[in-house]
Each structure stands twice: as structure tokens, then as C-alpha cells.
Amino acid sequence: MTGIRVLGGDVERGAQVLTPDALEFVAGLHRSFAATRDDLLARRSVRRPLGFLAETAHVRAGDWRVAEAPAPLRDRRVEITGPTERKMTVNALNSGAKVWLADLEDANTPHWRNVVAGQVNLYDAARGTVDHRSPEGKHYVLRDGERPAIVVRPRGWHLPERHVEVDGAPAVGALVDFGLHFFHNAELGRPYYYLPKLESHLEARLWNDVFTAAQERLGIPHGTVRATVLIETIPAAFEMEEILYELRDHASGLNAGRWDYLFSIIKHFRDRGADYVLPDRNSVTMTAPFMRAYTDLLVRTCHKRGAHAMGGMAAFIPNRRDPEVTRQALAKVREDKGREAADGFDGSWVAHPDLVPVCREVFDARLGDRPNQLDVLREDVAVTADRLLDVRSAGGRATRAGVVGAVDVGVRYLLSWLGGNGAAAIHNLMEDAATAEISRSQLWQWVHNDVVLDDGTPVTGELVREVLAEVASGLDGEHLAAAVELFERVALSDDFVDFLTLPAYERID
């Protein structure tokens, strides 16, 4: 394997997925596409005015549709998300959902063991041979019957994989995740993917080129790969049609990645003044006008082009010790999913198996015997750039409780992430990197824009550090000091860190 080095340690059954041929395949993708990836990441730092692109108006005006969805992806009324940990793999496949989003990105800490074991678990899941025995001796096995289609989410373009080196440089994390999965499982006929963190149609074009090359190199028919793109950045919201167009032979839909979308808005407008300051995270609901504009445009765009529109995450974790908390939360989940179904979405996400029946019930009532509602064209929707950018329409204020909550969730999540668990149960919610990103970026924005809380208290670095000390005093864990130091850095440093997972990655393994 000339020019390829695996720097990570041994992982159980790692040799089964890190074969010489598989690593050569990954290295070939890296050599072909890493330079373009690097150029596109550099373009992100050039902050252009947001709006619909004049140079791609012909795409938006054109008469085209994406390829028809393959049979396993025509009915996506409920999708369950979660990391590729062994127990989660079995539970997701037994959940009754139509799709399992197997998450190698925001819900996964990229410890080398997680990266490799995730591929092992996906290998077994694709072949129906996955099981799990807990330390207590409980045996988790796949039940008979229909199982969800597996849709793998690789890491975003920005993340490296430092445990695999190609010609002296860290491999592109996205190409490691995609390449290993595709190499070992594409021949089974269902190489389906969720693409995160795209900021332009040019980044979608790169993925399309990767898919085309991968299929050619393994002799897989063109168009076998299918990709759903998460529209979770504000620049991508203005290029939905262009993104589908670039991937039209491989596209199967778009998803409203609501939490990352809020993070992207905060990040993009972090230093633009009071007109772009968001209130407490929990007060920004999907009914805010600028969020409604985003989701309405997504449904309109998808159905105009024959693609599926997928709704956002229901992150609640049922609390069996407190039935009243669970009852109230399930009512909110049902209301949220009902709004999505009425708006024309073809399905939605949940984070816990107990929420699958709730989401399914709501979409069953809307869809009946239909697999989707691609026929709901939403021709009533006409979204302008101003509506997408009207952040002030969120209303609300920043509060002391919002500061405490942001610090608490951020530190707890990083404590979990540094310990190897990227899907953290915090206060009856399944949190991933997106909510930690909102927490720290919101504090950065409040501090750097001289925000005053509703009680008259200015949000300063000193206030955040005071709350940070209070929160830390009530926590413990091996990685607490590192989590506190890292959170303070990404929330308060003068230079805004684009993704907290980049400095966090330097602290693991």
C-alpha cells in the first residue's frame, strides 16, 4: 500500500474492514478529490452577501427532476437517527422505522475505535448478522420482519481523519467514512447516504463526482448511490435547487436540519450587530417566520423536483420514571410532526425508538396508503431572501436561564464527547454536536454584540466564566477539566472557531 499508513491502534475485527484493497480505494478517492475539497473549504472563508445566485438562475428556471427514488426510499415516513454503536445498531434496525440514519458524524465521537467499529457494525447490519451482548449478559438480536433502509451519514467535508495518512497528509474524514462503507457494501445494492454541512452547490458537485468515480472503480451501475442532503447551513438554503441539480442522478431528497441551521445562522451573522442576534435557543421554534420560510421553501423545492422532503429531529427521550414529563413531551412531538406532515413533508426524524410509533401515527394519518406526498407541490410558497434572513422575527429575549442552559448543555456534551460518546442524553433530550455548537456560538454572539439580558445584566466574558464555574462545580468526570477549558475557548476566544469538533478532535486518542 504505497503512500498509505494506518496510524490508529488495533480494533476488534478492524482487519476485516481495513483491508489493503479497501484502503487503496480510500486513498484513490483522497488523491482524486482532496485538493478540490481543500479549495472549497477555503472558499467558505470568503463571506459573500447571502441571496439567490444570479449565475444559476437558469437551473432554478429549468425543467428537470431528480432520478426516481429506489423502492427502499419511497416511503420514509419515520426515520430514526443515532450513532453506529453496536447496541444502537440492533435497536435501530428493530425500531419499526422506515429508515435508520446511521450517523458517523454529529452523533459520533471520531475516536479511532468508533470509526472502525462503526464500519464493522455497518458491515454486519447490511448482511443482517448484527447482534450485541451487554456486559450484564443481555443479548440483543435482530427480529424477523421488515427492517429500515440504512442511510449512512459520513463526516462533513471539514473534518480530517488523522489516523489514516495518504502521501503524508491526514485523509479526508468524509472520504474515509464513505469509501470504507461503499467498498464493502455497495455490491449489496443499497449504498445510501446523508450528506451534512454543505454550504454550496459546488460542494454537492464534489460529492457527485465522488459517487461517479466510486461506482466506476467498482463496476457499480451509475445512479446506484442515493444521497439525501441536509440543508443545515444558511448559504445552502439559497442553493437548494442547485444542490439537487448537481446530484440529480444520485439525489433522493433534502432534510431540514434545524439545529445545525440555527448554528449556521448564528455563526454567519455573529458579528453583524443586534439585528441578527437570536434569543434563547429554546424560544426559537419552528413556527418563527424565518424558520417557516426555510422549511416551506425546502418542501416546495423538493416536490417541484421529485425529491423527498424530510422533517427535523424530535430529540426527546421518554422518561419512564416521570410519566407526566413524558406525556407533555409526547404531545409536543405529536404537534411538531403534525405541522410537518401538514406542510407537505414526506417523513421526519426521531432520536429514540419509543418515538417511532408517535411519528408513524401522525404521518399515517396524513399519508394513508400513499408512500409519500410528492404530489403536494406547495405552489403557494414564494420565499424571498428577506424572509429567510429575517432573524428578528424570532422574537424573544436573552435570559439568565438561557446563559446557564447554554453553558450547562455545552459542557455536559463536551464531557460526553471527549469520553467517546457523541450522542449524549441531557435533560431528557438526545443532544449531538449541533446543540453544543448553538450553545457556545450563541454565547460568543451575545458577548461580542453587547447583549443585555431581560433582567438588565450585560452578557460579558466574566458572566459566562462565572456561570461556567458554577456549572462545573456540579459535574465530575475524567474529562471535565478539558471540557471546561475547551468550552471556554470556543465560546469566548476573540477568534471564532468554525467548528468546535476541530479543536475537540485534537484532545482525543
Side-chain angles (χ1 to χ4, degrees):
M1 296 188 297
T2 305
I4 311 168
R5 291 203 304 158
V6 176
L7 306 178
D10 291 337
V11 178
E12 183 179 0
R13 292 179 60 196
Q16 187 173 355
V17 294
L18 299 173
T19 65
D21 286 346
L23 291 170
E24 288 282 3
F25 180 75
V26 170
L29 295 176
H30 178 94
R31 289 172 179 137
S32 296
F33 300 109
T36 302
R37 189 284 305 247
D38 293 345
D39 177 64
L40 291 172
L41 289 183
R43 291 185 183 216
R44 288 182 178 182
S45 64
V46 180
R47 296 170 69 184
R48 61 174 175 80
L50 290 176
F52 297 101
L53 302 179
E55 61 268 32
T56 56
H58 65 285
V59 173
R60 298 192 298 276
D63 183 15
W64 55 269
R65 291 172 66 85
V66 303
E68 184 180 4
L73 295 179
R74 289 176 191 163
D75 187 337
R76 305 174 64 171
R77 66 188 66 201
V78 54
E79 301 190 348
I80 190 167
T81 74
T84 53
E85 180 266 336
R86 191 86 175 173
K87 179 182 172 183
M88 175 64 199
T89 298
V90 178
N91 286 341
L93 294 178
N94 285 339
S95 68
K98 291 292 186 179
V99 166
W100 172 39
L101 188 161
D103 196 358
L104 299 173
E105 199 227 8
D106 270 3
N108 180 62
T109 303
H111 279 274
W112 180 237
R113 183 191 175 282
N114 288 352
V115 171
V116 178
Q119 293 287 343
V120 170
N121 296 337
L122 288 170
Y123 182 97
D124 291 347
R127 291 158 179 80
T129 59
V130 65
D131 67 346
H132 171 69
R133 192 173 294 279
S134 72
E136 299 77 25
K138 185 175 181 179
H139 194 200
Y140 297 80
V141 298
L142 295 181
R143 295 195 291 263
D144 293 335
E146 183 182 359
R147 295 180 190 133
I150 301 171
V151 182
V152 176
R153 177 160 68 170
R155 279 169 281 185
W157 281 130
H158 60 287
L159 289 167
E161 177 46 72
R162 68 167 185 258
H163 301 98
V164 178
E165 205 174 73
V166 180
D167 303 331
V172 177
L175 296 179
V176 172
D177 294 343
F178 165 76
L180 290 175
H181 180 265
F182 184 84
F183 183 85
H184 289 295
N185 302 291
E187 65 180 12
L188 301 180
R190 294 188 179 187
Y192 305 148
Y193 301 94
Y194 257 107
L195 305 181
K197 306 291 190 292
L198 298 191
E199 294 198 10
S200 75
H201 69 284
L202 298 179
E203 295 180 19
R205 180 182 298 172
L206 175 58
W207 267 118
N208 196 70
D209 291 344
V210 169
F211 296 155
T212 298
Q215 289 166 142
E216 288 177 352
R217 292 175 192 183
L218 294 189
I220 304 296
H222 182 80
T224 302
V225 169
R226 291 307 171 94
T228 304
V229 176
L230 291 120
I231 301 299
E232 54 186 358
T233 68
I234 184 66
F238 290 95
E239 301 184 34
M240 293 186 198
E241 290 198 69
E242 292 89 334
I243 287 169
L244 284 176
Y245 181 79
E246 294 293 345
L247 286 159
R248 58 194 179 279
D249 290 346
H250 299 110
S252 59
L254 302 176
N255 172 275
R258 60 178 72 172
W259 300 125
D260 268 299
Y261 188 70
L262 285 176
F263 162 54
S264 176
I265 288 173
I266 298 167
K267 177 166 69 171
H268 199 86
F269 297 119
R270 63 187 180 272
D271 53 6
R272 301 291 182 87
D275 285 346
Y276 294 99
V277 172
L278 284 172
D280 291 358
R281 163 195 162 186
N282 290 339
S283 69
V284 183
T285 70
M286 295 306 294
T287 60
F290 78 104
M291 295 299 285
R292 291 285 289 165
Y294 152 66
T295 56
D296 283 347
L297 180 61
L298 190 145
V299 174
R300 168 81 170 108
T301 299
C302 284
H303 290 181
K304 176 182 177 183
R305 302 304 182 181
H308 286 75
M310 302 307 303
M313 169 72 81
F316 175 68
I317 302 171
N319 186 337
R320 295 186 174 97
R321 293 188 300 274
D322 194 333
E324 180 58 22
V325 167
T326 296
R327 186 192 66 78
Q328 293 179 17
L330 289 180
K332 292 180 180 178
V333 170
R334 187 171 281 105
E335 179 184 4
D336 181 53
K337 299 309 170 191
R339 175 190 50 76
E340 289 180 328
D343 284 348
F345 280 94
D346 301 291
S348 192
W349 283 7
V350 300
H352 192 279
D354 287 357
L355 298 184
V356 169
V358 178
C359 185
R360 185 175 56 226
E361 175 188 329
V362 171
F363 277 89
D364 282 351
R366 181 73 182 185
L367 298 176
D369 294 333
R370 297 178 297 160
N372 52 62
Q373 44 187 345
L374 291 175
D375 58 319
V376 178
L377 298 180
R378 290 305 307 274
E379 292 176 337
D380 58 303
V381 170
V383 173
T384 64
D386 287 343
R387 285 187 61 201
L388 285 172
L389 298 175
D390 186 15
V391 175
R392 290 181 67 87
S393 67
R397 293 287 302 276
T399 70
R400 171 81 183 204
V403 173
V404 173
V407 172
D408 182 67
V409 169
V411 173
R412 287 176 186 270
Y413 181 77
L414 285 172
L415 183 59
S416 175
W417 195 95
L418 292 169
N421 178 20
I426 302 174
H427 306 316
N428 294 317
L429 294 174
M430 187 65 74
E431 305 282 14
D432 67 9
T435 46
E437 291 281 29
I438 293 173
S439 297
R440 64 92 181 189
S441 62
Q442 191 151 54
L443 291 172
W444 194 101
Q445 186 185 40
W446 290 352
V447 169
H448 286 80
N449 288 275
D450 301 320
V451 167
V452 176
L453 302 179
D454 63 345
D455 64 2
T457 304
V459 183
T460 63
E462 290 72 23
L463 174 64
V464 174
R465 290 186 182 94
E466 174 189 317
V467 173
L468 187 55
E470 293 172 359
V471 167
S473 68
L475 300 174
D476 56 34
E478 177 186 354
H479 302 283
L480 179 59
V484 170
E485 184 275 329
L486 178 59
F487 187 81
E488 180 177 350
R489 174 187 168 188
V490 298
L492 296 178
S493 64
D494 289 338
D495 295 326
F496 186 88
V497 178
D498 278 343
F499 294 96
L500 66 80
T501 46
L502 291 172
Y505 188 42
E506 298 170 0
R507 289 165 166 77
I508 62 175
D509 291 345

